[in-house]
Amino acid sequence: MPTSLVTGGAGFLGSHLCDHLLERGHRVICVDNLETGNLANIGHIRREEFRFLNLDITTHFEIDEPVDFIYHMASPASPIDYARLPLHTLKVGAYGTHNSLGLAKRKRARFMIASTSEVYGDPLIHPQPESYWGNVNPIGPRGVYDEAKRYAEALTMAYLRQQGLDTCIARIFNTFGPRMRPNDGRAIPTFLRQALADKPVTVFGDGSQTRSFCYVDDLIRGLVALNESGVHEPVNLGNPHEMTLLEMAEAVVELTDSRAEIVFEALPVDDPKVRQPDIARARDLLGWTPEFTVRDGLERTIAAATPRLEARESAVPAASPRPGGSSGPVAA
Ligand code: NAD
């Protein structure tokens, strides 16, 4: 039975990855300091093959058993998280990646870094192929995240080239699904929280900026295919179906049967205008393509969010306001 270690395993993507790897017959070690993750994301896992370690990976850490695969997912990932934790975001990208790569070397494990489409910045090429070097503002508010990931990619390549480590780089595009935090500031959970509470759905700018949203199950399948392949170069993983944020807001309002109106707010600094993965490499090297449409994914996400919301509503006295509904920042 192979053993996989998932850093950031109690987060949104990490917890789905733990589920998937266990289903696949792996033993799973989940490492997380719960900075933006939550034990509730892994609370349903009650299996001997699963182990949770509450560790901050920015300091040296050791694992007392063999490890075959490392999925390095730990990092603040939403714009409001890395705005709140700028130094931590840089430290996780640097020290956290160093420590995880060092562990991979000691264990002779295959290593995957969860990188991001944000390494392309506000792209001047569309759609974005892996060969594009990007257009990143290093000193803007998003710089701490974008540059941390670019550094983490450089570090991963240095371990591959100099240390002979077996590594790969997943460039993840916007992904959504159950377990996203309603207040994490990313577009879909914010729209959902607002629409389910019949409160104004806040779109930045005129909503014409585009994103490509991938359903979580597809993304996780891609991460595992990549880490179990022999590929070393970066691979884009995302759904190439591109839509404007206004179209996404309208779809959420429609699918939630919401009475919410859509309102517009100022664009954040350095908000990318377009975002669409070129997934030719993932298709050619891994045989991977996304299977869920955005609507299918949204329906599943809404179905998972609705019982929780109803439970919360029935727990508050009738005179209290409905949960959610404050117009927070929306980013993707
Ligand atoms: P998340 O915030 O839900 O998960 C990140 C996890 O890392 C959390 O559980 C957090 O507690 C943990 N963590 C943070 N610092 C840590 C530390 N020092 N030690 C141990 N654990 C730590 O975010 P997510 O959306 O699941 O993103 C996971 C990874 O995927 C991130 O690396 C992110 O950059 C990348 N990614 C995500 C998306 C997306 O759309 N969700 C897109 C591109 C890249």
Side-chain angles (χ1 to χ4, degrees):
M1 176 184 278
T3 298
S4 286
L5 182 140
V6 181
T7 73
F12 161 51
L13 294 181
S15 63
H16 284 280
L17 185 56
C18 290
D19 285 339
H20 184 91
L21 291 167
L22 286 164
E23 277 304 301
R24 212 172 159 71
H26 287 219
R27 187 173 154 62
V28 174
I29 305 169
C30 167
V31 171
D32 204 297
N33 71 346
L34 306 177
E35 181 66 63
T36 59
N38 197 319
L39 285 179
N41 288 338
I42 49 170
H44 60 283
I45 307 177
R46 308 218 179 279
R47 293 169 69 152
E48 268 179 22
E49 305 80 38
F50 183 74
R51 184 176 169 201
F52 172 72
L53 298 173
N54 190 337
L55 287 177
D56 179 349
I57 60 155
T58 60
T59 55
H60 177 87
F61 66 103
E62 203 46 80
I63 301 292
D64 57 4
E65 61 179 301
V67 175
D68 303 292
F69 298 96
I70 294 182
Y71 291 84
H72 178 36
M73 309 297 292
S75 168
S78 91
I80 58 171
D81 287 334
Y82 53 78
R84 180 174 62 86
L85 301 163
L87 290 176
H88 180 75
T89 304
L90 286 161
K91 279 187 192 163
V92 168
Y95 305 135
T97 306
H98 248 301
N99 291 330
S100 304
L101 280 158
L103 182 74
K105 189 178 172 205
R106 293 191 295 282
K107 299 291 179 188
R108 299 179 190 279
R110 164 92 169 167
F111 176 91
M112 191 209 77
I113 170 84
S115 186
T116 168
S117 57
E118 301 298 327
V119 299
Y120 301 124
D122 191 4
L124 305 175
I125 291 182
H126 194 65
Q128 294 81 58
E130 292 87 349
S131 55
Y132 179 49
W133 292 352
N135 177 38
V136 168
N137 175 2
I139 57 166
R142 302 174 80 102
V144 292
Y145 181 67
D146 303 1
E147 297 295 3
K149 291 292 185 179
R150 289 168 69 95
Y151 175 84
E153 286 199 10
L155 195 60
T156 301
M157 291 307 293
Y159 267 83
L160 169 75
R161 293 193 182 109
Q162 192 200 314
Q163 306 281 323
L165 205 72
D166 189 7
T167 65
C168 58
I169 298 173
R171 291 197 180 143
I172 303 171
F173 283 65
N174 291 111
T175 301
F176 71 101
R179 301 185 201 153
M180 293 187 88
R181 284 170 296 142
N183 290 302
D184 86 353
R186 288 186 269 196
I188 291 183
T190 308
F191 292 163
L192 267 179
R193 168 172 59 79
Q194 294 167 330
L196 287 169
D198 291 326
K199 295 284 162 88
V201 170
T202 49
V203 171
F204 281 153
D206 61 4
S208 62
Q209 65 277 34
T210 67
R211 298 291 183 271
S212 305
F213 293 100
C214 184
Y215 185 61
V216 62
D217 290 8
D218 280 332
L219 192 273
I220 298 299
R221 198 169 40 80
L223 294 179
V224 174
L226 175 59
N227 211 11
E228 293 186 3
S229 75
V231 173
H232 297 303
E233 61 263 53
V235 176
N236 287 340
L237 293 173
N239 190 326
H241 176 79
E242 188 184 21
M243 61 197 296
T244 68
L245 277 180
L246 180 56
E247 286 168 341
M248 173 52 84
E250 287 168 347
V252 169
V253 169
E254 181 205 323
L255 291 172
T256 52
D257 269 334
S258 176
R259 296 188 299 276
E261 57 169 339
I262 294 175
V263 298
F264 298 91
E265 293 192 346
L267 266 183
V269 178
D270 296 334
D271 194 49
K273 285 182 265 314
V274 291
R275 190 59 93 228
Q276 186 188 27
D278 176 335
I279 60 163
R281 189 178 282 180
R283 219 177 17 233
D284 294 349
L285 297 184
L286 309 176
W288 178 86
T289 47
E291 287 170 1
F292 286 90
T293 64
V294 169
R295 275 184 99 80
D296 287 345
L298 276 177
E299 278 168 3
R300 285 168 175 251
T301 309
I302 291 164
T306 313
R308 268 190 303 162
L309 192 87
E310 281 168 357
R312 269 195 291 161
E313 281 194 326
S314 61
V316 294
S320 302
R322 295 182 76 173
S326 67
S327 50
V330 182

